[in-house]
Amino acid sequence: MELKDARVLHITNNLGYGGVQKIIYEICNVTKESVSGVYVASCGGVYVNRLKQIGVEHFTIPDVSSKSPKDVVEIIHELAKIVRERHINIIQCHHRMAVLFARMIHANAQIVYVNHTTYSDRAKLTHWIMHDIPVIAVGEQAKDNAEIFFGVPENRITVIPNAVEEYGRAFSAVEQIDSQRSKGRFIIAFAGRLHPQKGVQYFISAVRDLLDRNIDIACFIIGDGPLRAQLEKQVQELGVQDAVHFMGFRDDVANCMYQSDVVVMSSIYEGLPLTPIEACSVGKAVIAPDIEGVREVVVDGVNGLLFEPCNPHALADAICEVYSNKDELERFSQHAREVYENKFSMKPFREAYLRYYASLLSREERD
């Protein structure tokens, strides 16, 4: 069977805000012209319309993480129907439970799991689910997690690093950011889902630290999520509401980053995060926690600075360094673009996925 005959179904829990959802969109976008069909099944979200715009059909099913017996029965029924009617021969799972459902429908298709992050829970269950499933790891940390923690043999793991598409529109001023820049403020962008993983509370605490040092900053939090109300309350309690601006979900994240002086992240753990890759794509230095996954993108002293994770004071120190040394910041920014072009642009990402699909189909023929 040839690559052009591939019919790929992506299964995930939702298509809301988040890096996993963005990567699913990117995979669909770069592979759809080279295969016979690309489809996505999830409980829905903001990326459904974006998939529709590029001609990718979405099927609404209950959340695959649901424990409701009714949902479980419906998921099995709907997935079996999709696989049968669309003649699916590759099922790409972006959630551990999606693998279990793919197994349960007994589809005559190659099942593959994408490990997007690092896990430390339900090891025995995951080991059982993955015992003979090939795995795509989005980075070296995600590979190590699958191999060491969940017991997946190295020969069943393929690393395909995350990538982001270049911003396809002309950069344009963002009024909210422009108004703060006109006051002479140093612009900091934070992009990510407002979720415990992202450690946004540490960033907000660092803002208080910076203001206490009389650093004139304006910080823009791009994204939305379950912690927004809690984080807005923290901003009020710390009295930093004049410096922290919540922008919500936007479809021009790279454009907003481009308008900033530096991009910051404060995650507790990551697989291979998209935020620093996206920042590098528009030539912006990144200040990020010194954790696995992040270090695959941000090299301390080359395209940004790394700081001790979960330490607002250390984050504030790193921001102060680039605020006080504009030449260093400019050098980091120049290297950032080089990192993107050499490691995380879309061409190698597309080629890697197409090679992988071809290998799956070849394996199916041998089996």
Side-chain angles (χ1 to χ4, degrees):
M1 190 176 295
E2 298 181 7
L3 175 64
K4 64 181 178 61
D5 300 313
R7 301 182 69 83
V8 186
L9 172 65
H10 296 267
I11 308 173
T12 190
N13 55 338
N14 68 75
L15 286 176
Y17 311 107
V20 172
Q21 292 78 2
K22 182 175 177 62
I23 282 297
I24 292 170
Y25 170 84
E26 298 287 14
I27 297 170
C28 292
N29 195 32
V30 299
T31 61
K32 63 185 176 65
E33 299 300 331
S34 300
V35 300
S36 179
V38 179
Y39 311 90
V40 180
S42 80
C43 69
V46 295
Y47 273 94
V48 171
N49 285 335
R50 294 195 65 185
L51 288 170
K52 183 178 179 181
Q53 290 169 6
I54 62 172
V56 173
E57 188 174 8
H58 174 267
F59 298 92
T60 302
I61 61 173
D63 188 333
V64 294
S65 63
S66 172
K67 296 178 176 61
S68 162
K70 179 177 179 295
D71 287 345
V72 169
V73 171
E74 184 176 348
I75 292 167
I76 293 171
H77 174 76
E78 290 300 322
L79 289 179
K81 181 180 177 182
I82 296 165
V83 170
R84 182 178 65 254
E85 293 183 351
R86 295 298 185 273
H87 307 290
I88 301 299
N89 48 33
I90 296 174
I91 301 177
Q92 192 161 340
C93 303
H94 300 268
H95 190 283
R96 286 178 287 181
M97 294 307 294
V99 178
L100 183 58
F101 283 114
R103 284 183 175 281
M104 291 172 70
I105 63 176
H106 302 289
N108 185 24
Q110 292 289 316
I111 302 171
V112 59
Y113 172 67
V114 185
N115 195 25
H116 289 276
T117 187
T118 55
Y119 296 98
S120 59
D121 65 321
R122 297 187 291 178
K124 290 183 179 179
L125 174 63
T126 305
H127 188 280
W128 175 72
I129 292 173
M130 305 292 179
H131 74 270
D132 61 351
I133 297 294
V135 172
I136 295 173
V138 300
E140 292 299 325
Q141 174 64 13
K143 172 184 176 291
D144 291 345
N145 181 248
E147 183 179 358
I148 298 169
F149 198 84
F150 295 133
V152 179
E154 184 178 13
N155 63 4
R156 280 203 279 108
I157 306 172
T158 302
V159 177
I160 302 181
N162 282 340
V164 297
E165 192 174 17
E166 291 206 53
Y167 189 66
R169 293 170 272 172
F171 293 113
S172 58
V174 178
E175 183 178 354
Q176 195 175 358
I177 297 175
D178 250 14
S179 66
Q180 296 298 315
R181 186 178 294 284
S182 67
K183 299 174 183 177
R185 291 176 176 157
F186 187 74
I187 306 298
I188 302 170
F190 178 102
R193 194 160 66 99
L194 307 187
H195 179 276
Q197 175 192 351
K198 302 301 181 181
V200 192
Q201 70 272 23
Y202 301 117
F203 173 57
I204 294 172
S205 294
V207 173
R208 179 68 270 170
D209 191 329
L210 289 164
L211 294 177
D212 290 343
R213 304 186 200 190
N214 296 316
I215 306 295
D216 196 10
I217 55 174
C219 306
F220 293 89
I221 297 177
I222 310 160
D224 217 328
L227 294 186
R228 177 158 180 170
Q230 180 179 323
L231 295 169
E232 288 176 335
K233 181 179 179 182
Q234 181 189 5
V235 166
Q236 293 294 323
E237 290 174 345
L238 292 179
V240 296
Q241 57 268 29
D242 290 339
V244 177
H245 309 271
F246 289 86
M247 302 184 78
F249 176 80
R250 295 181 64 104
D251 66 357
D252 65 339
V253 175
N255 183 52
C256 293
M257 289 180 173
Y258 183 76
Q259 314 300 322
S260 70
D261 292 300
V262 69
V263 175
V264 167
M265 58 184 301
S266 53
S267 302
I268 300 168
Y269 63 91
E270 290 285 357
L272 186 69
L274 295 184
T275 291
I277 298 174
E278 201 156 20
C280 288
S281 77
V282 293
K284 292 298 172 180
V286 184
I287 295 175
D290 189 5
I291 56 176
E292 297 287 349
V294 168
R295 289 196 291 268
E296 295 179 49
V297 185
V298 182
V299 179
D300 191 44
V302 176
N303 61 332
L305 294 173
L306 298 175
F307 65 91
E308 181 184 3
C310 307
N311 186 333
H313 186 72
L315 172 52
D317 284 346
I319 294 172
C320 273
E321 179 175 332
V322 296
Y323 174 84
S324 303
N325 190 337
K326 299 301 190 294
D327 289 340
E328 181 182 63
L329 179 59
E330 178 62 26
R331 178 168 56 83
F332 290 165
S333 298
Q334 289 175 356
H335 286 307
R337 179 63 190 178
E338 294 171 7
V339 166
Y340 170 76
E341 291 176 345
N342 293 335
K343 296 180 65 177
F344 301 109
S345 60
M346 293 306 293
K347 183 178 179 182
F349 179 76
R350 175 181 179 276
E351 292 173 347
Y353 262 104
L354 294 179
R355 282 196 305 271
Y356 192 81
Y357 289 162
S359 73
L360 287 178
L361 296 177
S362 175
R363 181 182 309 168
E364 183 181 23
E365 284 188 338
R366 291 196 302 271
D367 294 345

